[in-house]
Amino acid sequence: MKPCHLSLTLLLPFLASQTRRLFPRHWLSTVSANSSSASRRRLSVTSPTPQPVIGKDSVEVLGHTYPRDDFTNVTAKVLAKVGRNLHNQSHHPLWLIKERIKDHFYRTFVSRVGNPLFSIHDNLSPVVTVEQNFDSLLIPADHPSRKQGDNYYLNRITMLRAHTSAHQRELVRSGLDAFLLAGDVYRRDEIDATHYPVFHQMEGVRLFSNHELFSQVEHGEDLSLFERGGRRMSSKQETHSLEAVKLVEFNLKRTLTDLMARLFRRDLEVRWVDCYFPFTHPSFEMEVRFQGDWMEVLGCGVMEQELLNSDSSFSTTEHQNSVHCPGTGTKCTERDSARARGGTQSVHGEGLGVCTERPTLSLRHGVRVVPDPAVSVEDVLLAVGEQVGHENLAFASRMNRAVLVFLLEERFSAQLVESGVYLDDSYLQASPLYAPSTKIIISGVPPFVSNEALSRELQRFGKFSSGFKTIRLGCKSEKLHNVQSFRRQVFMFPNCPTQTLDVSFRVKHEDSFYMVYAS
């Protein structure tokens, strides 16, 4: 199975961070701060830029005049940096980085006829509206990033952009589905070794259709970017299918890791950390090993679907899905936002139909049960119906030894994955169909050790797709039917699906430690 981009936003890691501790930002800001002498030696702006003027009642910048009000806090020194466009001056360090990133994407992402998929936009005005800088990215009105103390305002409705993401909506609305965006950004910072009020960011965005995402996936025609009636979880938004988000996340991280290797070195040690941004979910930060410590270099994530749903330039019948890398630190975003032609998916197949209407289902509605060969599909359905209600059964079929059951709502399939199916006196594990999760058995777990303690240890190896289940001891006597063993099981999405998990770790209970084993 070849992983594909989903709706993601992927930014190119080399610029500033809202956490204000990114190496690339430090590096680029230092360049900006010390570029005057370099410009006198060999660099010049090809076209003269009108000098900014701060008057008593107005601010003039880049040939436009803006009225002053009680929010105006931009300074003459900062305005003097506007229009220098160091990232567009040939052979300037910022230009060199931009060109390396552009070259990487031009070489990596090409159309069927050999042309680059990504267009480059590096000459957009840094003067934007407050709505562009914040509201268009779903940043709440009371969010601390809006404070006057953190931004340069020309007036209450106009400011110097704090990130290049301020232009994402206008570029998507123009019909672009793959682009790179670079420019100077401005944030009020105390000048020190790692901070400067002017720095640069670069990001990329790509939109995908349902076909583009799943065309290289086995049975991809049965998968969909979207699901109806979904729940918002830590791993996905309510409108996105888990299959799509997992493919997007994999591709996003792989693309950014390859870019970092291209910019720095192949043996660069990286790790990913879950984080939060108002305009992406899920969101991630990349950290690299630098001088013996971990340092954040970029942020990224799956763009909030609301950002595209609210875009009036798209037909309401055409669903959108996207992923985004916010401009936090060296901003490297790839938004592989997926443009789904018809965002629902039917489950096709023959078997025992148990409902009179054909609902719109996805793989997340289904479970797989492997009973004894002598057990019929009807017996399995009756047992499942006892647990979730017979009226909630939709489709069923036997495939080889397994019985596939589809429920009308996802919550019922999730319930079965967690609880299993009880058929007469036997327990049957119900496995999810929506993703290649792996069953993990944890042995030697005393009954007083909590599932939370196990979760804290196992989360290092992947993400959970089910809750923990205690495994019965399996006594033949009916009198001992309810005796549980010291084993528990859970389904996970391993970080390294090709590697076998075989670990031991200690868990603490009160003042004692207990060694348990997971495989």
Side-chain angles (χ1 to χ4, degrees):
M1 181 176 75
K2 180 180 179 181
C4 308
H5 290 92
L6 157 43
S7 51
L8 293 183
T9 302
L10 169 56
L11 278 190
L12 312 176
F14 76 80
L15 299 155
S17 154
Q18 292 177 346
T19 56
R20 292 173 168 78
R21 56 184 178 87
L22 295 185
F23 169 64
R25 171 182 175 180
H26 168 206
W27 179 33
L28 294 180
S29 297
T30 303
V31 172
S32 300
N34 300 323
S35 59
S36 299
S37 59
S39 298
R40 287 194 295 269
R41 288 195 302 271
R42 59 184 300 175
L43 300 176
S44 61
V45 179
T46 56
S47 58
T49 301
Q51 292 298 311
V53 177
I54 300 181
K56 180 179 180 180
D57 299 317
S58 63
V59 177
E60 185 175 337
V61 57
L62 297 178
H64 297 275
T65 301
Y66 304 90
R68 297 188 58 167
D69 58 24
D70 59 323
F71 248 61
T72 304
N73 65 353
V74 67
T75 65
K77 287 187 176 180
V78 168
L79 281 183
K81 306 292 185 183
V82 176
R84 297 189 63 187
N85 296 327
L86 300 181
H87 59 288
N88 288 334
Q89 296 184 15
S90 296
H91 307 299
H92 190 281
L94 291 174
W95 178 86
L96 293 173
I97 297 176
K98 182 191 71 174
E99 291 300 307
R100 289 184 65 183
I101 294 174
K102 183 175 71 173
D103 180 70
H104 176 77
F105 274 79
Y106 277 10
R107 291 173 181 269
T108 305
F109 300 98
V110 295
S111 66
R112 286 179 293 179
V113 296
N115 295 325
L117 288 180
F118 284 80
S119 58
I120 179 72
H121 304 268
D122 55 10
N123 199 31
L124 298 177
S125 172
V127 180
V128 299
T129 65
V130 173
E131 194 273 340
Q132 284 178 288
N133 198 82
F134 297 117
D135 300 280
S136 72
L137 298 171
L138 305 181
I139 299 176
D142 58 350
H143 196 276
S145 64
R146 293 176 177 253
K147 293 189 302 183
Q148 284 179 276
D150 288 340
N151 301 283
Y152 288 104
Y153 286 91
L154 303 182
N155 51 44
R156 280 187 172 271
I157 62 174
T158 315
M159 62 186 297
L160 299 181
R161 64 187 171 205
H163 42 212
T164 50
S165 297
H167 301 287
Q168 282 188 7
R169 184 181 63 182
E170 63 188 273
L171 293 177
V172 170
R173 282 182 172 181
S174 71
L176 297 174
D177 58 7
F179 59 85
L180 303 176
L181 173 60
D184 46 329
V185 297
Y186 301 80
R187 297 181 191 170
R188 297 189 67 177
D189 266 336
E190 294 288 340
I191 299 175
D192 57 26
T194 60
H195 296 80
Y196 194 74
V198 187
F199 52 99
H200 291 71
Q201 289 185 340
M202 187 169 184
E203 67 185 76
V205 171
R206 186 178 181 187
L207 308 181
F208 278 81
S209 69
N210 199 79
H211 171 73
E212 289 169 327
L213 179 62
F214 295 117
S215 61
Q216 301 300 316
V217 178
E218 185 177 2
H219 304 304
E221 67 277 4
D222 296 328
L223 302 175
S224 174
L225 296 172
F226 302 96
E227 63 182 18
R228 291 181 178 178
R231 293 182 302 151
R232 191 178 187 90
M233 302 184 296
S234 60
S235 58
K236 61 178 286 294
Q237 299 173 38
E238 56 273 22
T239 58
H240 297 166
S241 70
L242 187 60
E243 305 93 345
V245 172
K246 288 301 177 182
L247 283 178
V248 172
E249 178 183 336
F250 177 86
N251 201 69
L252 174 64
K253 291 179 177 180
R254 183 183 62 178
T255 301
L256 293 176
T257 301
D258 290 346
L259 178 62
M260 290 296 98
R262 173 76 182 274
L263 290 179
F264 300 108
R265 64 177 188 271
R266 282 291 167 188
D267 60 344
L268 185 69
E269 187 177 359
V270 304
R271 73 177 182 182
W272 291 94
V273 180
D274 293 342
C275 62
Y276 165 79
F277 300 115
F279 38 95
T280 60
H281 181 79
S283 304
F284 316 98
E285 289 178 345
M286 175 193 277
E287 296 182 351
V288 301
R289 198 75 170 174
F290 180 70
Q291 295 182 346
D293 200 1
W294 289 104
M295 178 177 61
E296 175 200 340
V297 294
L298 65 90
C300 62
V302 180
M303 177 175 286
E304 288 285 353
Q305 188 62 34
E306 182 181 346
L307 291 174
L308 290 176
N309 291 346
S310 62
D311 190 340
S312 60
S313 71
F314 293 116
S315 166
T316 56
T317 62
E318 182 178 48
H319 295 276
Q320 305 289 327
N321 193 20
S322 65
V323 176
H324 171 273
C325 235
T328 63
T330 68
K331 182 164 184 172
C332 190
T333 70
E334 166 195 71
R335 178 171 71 212
D336 295 339
S337 61
R339 218 180 253 177
R341 273 72 171 180
T344 61
Q345 170 189 326
S346 299
V347 176
H348 302 280
E350 296 189 9
L352 175 63
V354 201
C355 62
T356 57
E357 294 185 10
R358 182 184 182 89
T360 299
L361 303 177
S362 73
L363 290 178
R364 294 185 59 82
H365 291 79
V367 295
R368 177 178 182 269
V369 180
V370 184
D372 186 273
V375 176
S376 68
V377 174
E378 183 176 353
D379 291 335
V380 173
L381 289 174
L382 289 172
V384 171
E386 289 294 331
Q387 295 179 228
V388 301
H390 297 92
E391 69 279 4
N392 294 312
L393 303 177
F395 293 87
S397 178
R398 184 182 291 277
M399 300 185 69
N400 297 323
R401 287 191 56 205
V403 174
L404 305 187
V405 181
F406 283 84
L407 293 308
L408 292 180
E409 296 184 32
E410 287 182 30
R411 60 189 180 96
F412 296 126
S413 60
Q415 175 184 332
L416 292 173
V417 169
E418 184 170 351
S419 65
V421 177
Y422 294 94
L423 181 60
D424 296 329
D425 292 330
S426 62
Y427 168 80
L428 303 176
Q429 173 63 47
S431 305
L433 296 181
Y434 58 83
S437 58
T438 301
K439 181 168 68 174
I440 307 298
I441 301 295
I442 308 100
S443 306
V445 186
F448 45 77
V449 172
S450 67
N451 291 333
E452 289 74 15
L454 300 177
S455 175
R456 285 194 295 269
E457 295 294 334
L458 289 174
Q459 66 184 0
R460 296 176 295 166
F461 306 104
K463 294 186 177 181
F464 299 101
S465 62
S466 75
F468 286 85
K469 172 71 179 180
T470 301
I471 300 175
R472 289 185 177 181
L473 189 58
C475 299
K476 294 182 179 180
S477 172
E478 293 184 3
K479 297 179 180 179
L480 304 176
H481 178 71
N482 294 320
V483 179
Q484 306 291 316
S485 70
F486 275 29
R487 296 189 300 158
R488 301 183 199 180
Q489 71 178 27
V490 67
F491 282 81
M492 297 182 65
F493 301 111
N495 293 331
C496 301
T498 59
Q499 296 183 1
T500 301
L501 179 64
D502 189 8
V503 298
S504 61
F505 52 86
R506 295 193 308 168
V507 292
K508 184 177 181 181
H509 178 74
E510 295 180 348
D511 296 328
S512 301
F513 288 90
Y514 300 87
M515 184 67 70
V516 300
Y517 305 89
S519 61

